């Protein structure tokens, strides 16, 4: 047997190793929050898209959710408008909201759609306004963290209802839905929603098998300064404790909250994984212990 | 019988008058190009949306196509970028294309979708990039009209293929598709397409019963200066002649071309009507002679 | 804008006004008891048929029930047979029953069917014998009202079972079922059933949204002699009280009973309306307060 | 083995003998013209109904067509109206037509329906007016046979179109359609059609496997006076010859014509059989050589 | 009426007599244990196959289960291997198991399949290994009856799970499943299962209407020596009592147990009938009191 | 990035490499002739089964065909019966045929079925007798190759009709059909058919995308003695030439013939590959140039 053939056989064995996972996940829905570095590097972009298309072909039903803060800030800059943040969220006045929506729904979303389609998938982009997929309401005034002052975050919304019918319609015909994190208020106005929250709520509404959040760290660490302390499995109680004592903080908070929301509504597994790793989605799905941190009920 | 009751009976008779049209158009597809003044005035906007929702409820299948040139120009101005036109088309460099796409797909499209949904319809917005609905190619260099000079229109595209499956999927589940006039090139790039052309091509690909183009004039006039010369029915030969001799000109040219494209592919009736008239869609559909100009094969 | 156009726009607005009702009643079943003057005047006949066809086209599912006492009496006269009534019901001997069935099922029913079909509907006539739609049993001897004497009403029946499968089969294929008020006894014999009762029982068995009884008065009056006392909404308790004290009497009793039967089995709204009014069906359905008297649970 | 058991085994063998016919006729449509003595004798009535129900249970799709001349004449007599015939057809004035329709559709049809339902079948009665099943036109003036005089047969019609959709709808849900020989004219008027013709046309429109006409003779005889000359198989050419030379005459003519119509439109086998024989339908279907006369293409 | 015709009519009456049973059993599942003399005599074989095919054609859903002990013993003899029995069961070592499986699945099963197919049915053979239809486990050591000694029956199995999906798949497409009494162990090994038990368990898993066991006696007798004491209906309590006191013994025990298993899981009727009688299946099904012994809950 | 992670990423890349093949082969049918060494070695058995199950999970529709000559010979030996061959085919007398059928259908088939099921597939075994899948006729006397003498091969058959309905029924419900190479004659008798021929005919009847024959050599060699002359692509003309000149001979002849049969009936690709290679099926399918010899039209 030549070396070439032996290499081929090794490859075939990799496919065979995937078999138990194929069995487990056939016809299941995975909600994937796409973001961070994986949305910047051309190579990583392609790697994630290929992973998503592969999932579809082998009988898994991927749903992609994305935000796009960096691109929004860039467009605001071009318009000479400063990005303002409070409590880790963008203060979104009417003009900013218009830009947020245009960038997320009219630019970022279509780039993802087009990338999937170019590599042989069949993607359709949606925003939360389409068929009222994500009904939201404006967040009330809230105290600035660590202060008495109240802040009006403007057109920042929280989801009050998910109408997932259009997702089912598209998935049933083998389209891959790609969803921008824009909600629709009761008066039809646009609202800016945290994309992690959108992913968590969609996973809940779709009774997804998995919620997978791509981010730019390896996972959650017991000690942020010690890379050896990556937490493989994080139970809810411990997660809440770590939020309270500040070890989970900043952008990781909505991610963990999204996981907890999903778990509460029956999603089986939720994962925070490192999107900087090529094919991180496949690694999470097709290896026994997975990668990153799994948050559990 | 009181006057109140007589008024009610008169209303009932109006409904009954609609019956023959309901019979004729049951389950038929109408492609509606939405634009002009009807996209600006709040009252007209609502009037058109109500018309579209009514069509859906009475068993007609409306497909909405839109452009949005005015809003694009406005955004370019905000970015300090000048809008350049040649041969009646926007010269679309890469940066302009990005703005065109964001405005049409991320703003105008979602406003229409949200307006329909607010009034009880179920709309889903699409661009030509979604599941490669509108595959286009860049227009080659063309001579500036009335000159030897050649102009590169940039990211202006012409449709080479329509993949209407996603429209069928959505219509079958009673969604109203709303489509922005953005195409996708062979390399996945965005292309700016004339919305009238998009409407004509979609009507053709969907074997629509009617193509209706809303515009800001009453129709086509034999003598542009004499309002008494509105042409009710314009046969193809005469239309081509009027384009040649310049009586049909400027923005009316792509509208008439869209009608001819649709007619060539089996669309039964094509209409250019006055979108400034409240409920112009219903008037065209539910009156015997219709309104505006009907272009015929 | 010419006056002609303004008139057209007014018409379009009437259609638009119908929209909320279309939304509310889409795919709902309406059982309509057709009778009285509306079954005599050619103009009213046509008006009712057009209303019914319109309902079908806009997505409502109309079921028509009819009797035909006047035509029966006329045929009995031609045969030299006197019509005998007791307690407001026709005393139906075997020969009379044969005539009742022939007239209702073989004449009146087919005239309605043919009228609907001539105006573009797709009607199919049924009697309660078809696939045992209305299983009934002979009414036992009953005392003549205001007397000790007992009367045998003969082949007068009361419904004991409704088998609505054939209605579902026909409605699903967009036929309009037209049902004559003939029941079938346990031995296969024909039984004469009050058509109002048939309508009430069918509405119940079909879980109809509405039961609408066409009659020859404007509705139920608090004081029969004062046209200003038309009762718009009549709750069950008050209806029973008015039957008891005789203010509701004669032919109005079975109509009110039919409404109460329907309400008891979950029909949402029941109406007694004036069939002498052109398009009374549409008026009831497409105006906010309706017409006639609504009986409520 | 006791005699009782041997008798049982003999019965079982009869069932087994039916097997090849079950295989041949599974899911096939049989149009059965019911009439003559079999529609008079209570015993024969029941025998035919049982046969029809059995056919349905074993997977054949029976369609029953009937006339009812004797009952019509009887009702006319009761009304003091004389039955007039010309060219073997009832001269049908407007009043007669009304009686014909009432008797056939409102009495005879419902008796058959009720009889089938009483014995465990699921029958639904139709006339040619239901959903325009049988569209007909008035027969023009025709010469009285053997004379120069012309006769207006009145409301006697000839079928110009069969719309069998409602038959398919009912058969698909396992109903047995029972059809009275009344047609509908272009203006919605009732027309009296020969029931044999109706059967022939329906068999053609339904692409039936068999057309079976029950009559009161054993079949067609080469020599009407010699019972030994029963023709088992009658080819079209010979049939036409026998009509020409008068050996086939009177009421047998429309029967043979019905067979020829059916054969012309692809019906496989057509039979004229003796309805006076108990279970003649089963005998024709479940024996090798059949009974009566088979007319062939 | 000739004698020939009278004979035909008598035959037709037999078919009509079957009608009430057709109604009762339409679309019901019958599990039939085929064995004994009926599997040896060519004439009886054909008689049973014809019965089964007839059942299928008239809308009943027959499932055939078989063993084949005699043929196994014969093949063992050809191989010079002695058949050993303990407690009425074949002691099944590995080599014997291989022969048992080959004979039952590769020979007996295919003969039955081929016989049904030759006579116009559509049979498909299965063993309990196909799609894990019959999951079983090895029977533990058990005491030899009437002794302290323990015996290892080897590859004799008891059913622990029935996966009837493949039966439903085949039945839905009108195939007649024929099942050999081989089970599959948890490690994929073959196990020899009593065919009566297989029939009982399948009837239970399929919610069959009837379980019918063909055997070589007329039924169960109160007094084995007195043919006049055939028990027509045997209630569970009495059956258990008779097993206890030895009146039911040997090969009749698993038959009665199969009936009790089926009854416990909702099978309506269970029958032990005489397979030596031609058409015994039809006799049981199409006569009022049936034949053999009916075991009841 | 640790070495562990790099290894995982390499594995993910292998999965991604499979994507274009998944796209190409989604929902396609592959007929796989299983035999030779791959049916002997436990490791190879498992490797082939895993490959087949994987194909099913990723949306390909595998159909397995097998013979089993070695096991037949072994059983014949145990029975003291000598295996006789002529023209490379087993001379199959009645007793031999019985053994062939038992071994192939009752032993080899069930082992394959059980092996697939043990590893998570859902296999159902069939022989050509099930629902007359493979109708065959006895081969006429033929001359012994290189001689004038005629030989009667006995129960050796050639396929005359394939009835693939049962395959479609099973595949549609995600069963993997496993088919033994036994045909059924017109009289229901068993016939021994070359398994390569069965595979070729089934591929033709199923309009398979691929026919893959596993064998014990690397493929077809231009020069049998020079392993460097493996023919990658063998056009039909060259194949016929090589059979004629004897370079293709013995057991390779029916394999090549099977390929040619399949190609003639529209099968896209046919392959003769080395079953001794682990995962040879996957290698053939998921590598660009495939392995073994591809026979082409």
């Amino acid at each position: 047997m030549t070396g070439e053939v032996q290499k081929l056989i090794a490859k075939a064995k990799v496919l065979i190793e995937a078999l138990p996972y194929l069995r487990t996940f056939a016809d299941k829905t995975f909600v994937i929050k796409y973001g961070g570095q994986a949305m910047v590097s051309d190579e990583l972009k392609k790697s994630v898209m290929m992973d998503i298309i592969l999932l579809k072909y082998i009988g898994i039903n991927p749903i992609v959710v994305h935000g796009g803060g960096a691109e929004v800030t860039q467009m605001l800059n071009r318009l000479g408008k400063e990005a303002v943040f409070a409590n880790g969220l963008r203060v979104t006045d009417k003009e900013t909201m218009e830009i947020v929506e245009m960038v997320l729904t009219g630019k970022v979303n279509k780039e993802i759609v087009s990338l999937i389609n170019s590599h042989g998938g069949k993607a359709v982009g949606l925003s939360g306004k389409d068929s009222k997929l994500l009904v939201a309401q404006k967040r009330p005034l809230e105290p600035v963290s660590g202060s008495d002052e109240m802040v009006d975050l403007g057109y920042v919304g929280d989801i009050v209802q998910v109408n997932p019918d259009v997702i089912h319609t598209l998935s049933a015909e083998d389209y891959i839905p790609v969803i921008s994190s824009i909600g629709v208020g009761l008066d039809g106005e646009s609202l800016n929603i945290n994309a992690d929250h959108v992913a968590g709520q969609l996973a809940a509404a779709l009774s997804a098998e998995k919620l997978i959040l791509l981010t730019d760290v390896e996972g959650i660490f017991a000690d942020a300064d010690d890379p050896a302390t990556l937490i493989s499995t994080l139970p809810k109680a411990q997660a809440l404790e770590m939020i309270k004592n500040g070890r989970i903080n900043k952008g990781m908070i909505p991610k963990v909250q999204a996981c907890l929301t999903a778990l509460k509504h029956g999603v089986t597994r939720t994962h925070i994984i490192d999107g900087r790793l090529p094919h991180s989605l496949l690694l999470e799905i097709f290896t026994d212990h997975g990668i990153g941190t799994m948050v559990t009920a």
Side-chain angles (χ1 to χ4, degrees), chain A residues 39-56:
Chain A
M39 220 156 95
V40 177
S41 143
D42 276 350
E43 195 188 346
L44 285 174
K45 268 192 216 177
K46 190 182 158 187
S47 146
V48 173
M49 296 307 133
M50 295 306 275
D51 287 8
I52 288 168
I53 295 169
L54 186 76
L55 294 186
K56 191 75 190 179

Side-chain angles (χ1 to χ4, degrees), chain A residues 101-248:
Chain A
E101 184 173 10
M102 281 200 301
V103 170
L104 296 198
T105 302
K107 184 166 188 293
V108 178
N109 185 274
K110 292 314 161 194
E111 279 171 10
I112 299 171
V113 162
S114 206
L115 209 51
I116 294 178
N117 292 346
S118 294
H119 289 95
K122 263 188 355 173
V124 170
L126 296 171
S127 95
K129 293 175 104 172
D130 289 301
S131 73
K132 294 190 177 171
L133 174 57
L134 304 171
V135 181
Q137 60 186 16
K138 267 178 88 160
R139 186 172 289 196
L141 292 195
E142 61 179 40
V144 175
S145 62
S147 139
D148 289 0
E149 218 181 326
M150 299 298 278
V151 63
D152 177 358
L153 291 165
Y155 289 86
V156 165
D158 292 307
I159 293 174
V160 293
Q161 194 185 0
V162 177
N163 295 311
D165 281 356
V166 70
I167 304 278
H168 295 307
T169 296
L170 291 170
S171 295
E173 295 295 318
D174 282 341
Y175 295 101
I176 300 171
V178 177
I179 299 148
S180 69
S181 61
I182 302 295
V184 61
L186 295 178
D187 300 328
E189 78 275 20
S190 307
L191 290 167
N192 184 13
I193 315 179
N194 179 287
D196 294 320
H197 285 164
V198 169
Q201 294 273 5
L202 270 174
L206 294 166
S207 299
E209 174 74 13
K210 272 185 190 274
L211 167 67
I212 305 176
L213 305 158
L214 294 181
T215 181
D216 285 353
V217 292
E218 281 172 60
I220 298 172
F221 292 88
D223 174 351
D225 300 329
D226 179 358
T229 63
L230 178 68
I231 300 173
S232 199
T233 302
L234 179 67
K236 179 186 168 182
Q238 189 182 344
L240 292 173
E241 176 64 27
M242 286 177 76
I243 291 175
K244 218 164 155 193
N245 66 27
R247 295 231 206 118
I248 291 174

Side-chain angles (χ1 to χ4, degrees), chain A residues 29-96:
Chain A
T29 293
F30 287 15
V31 172
I32 297 155
K33 160 66 199 309
Y34 176 52
Q37 195 60 26
M39 220 156 95
V40 177
S41 143
D42 276 350
E43 195 188 346
L44 285 174
K45 268 192 216 177
K46 190 182 158 187
S47 146
V48 173
M49 296 307 133
M50 295 306 275
D51 287 8
I52 288 168
I53 295 169
L54 186 76
L55 294 186
K56 191 75 190 179
Y57 267 99
I58 60 181
I60 291 168
N61 185 21
I63 313 293
V64 180
V65 175
H66 68 90
E71 303 227 23
V72 169
T73 299
Q74 195 180 328
M75 177 59 68
L76 288 174
N77 290 346
R78 275 164 70 183
L79 284 159
K81 213 173 145 68
E82 206 179 339
V84 184
F85 289 83
N87 295 349
L89 288 161
R90 185 185 299 275
V91 177
T92 311
D93 61 18
K94 201 173 177 80
E95 196 191 353
T96 302

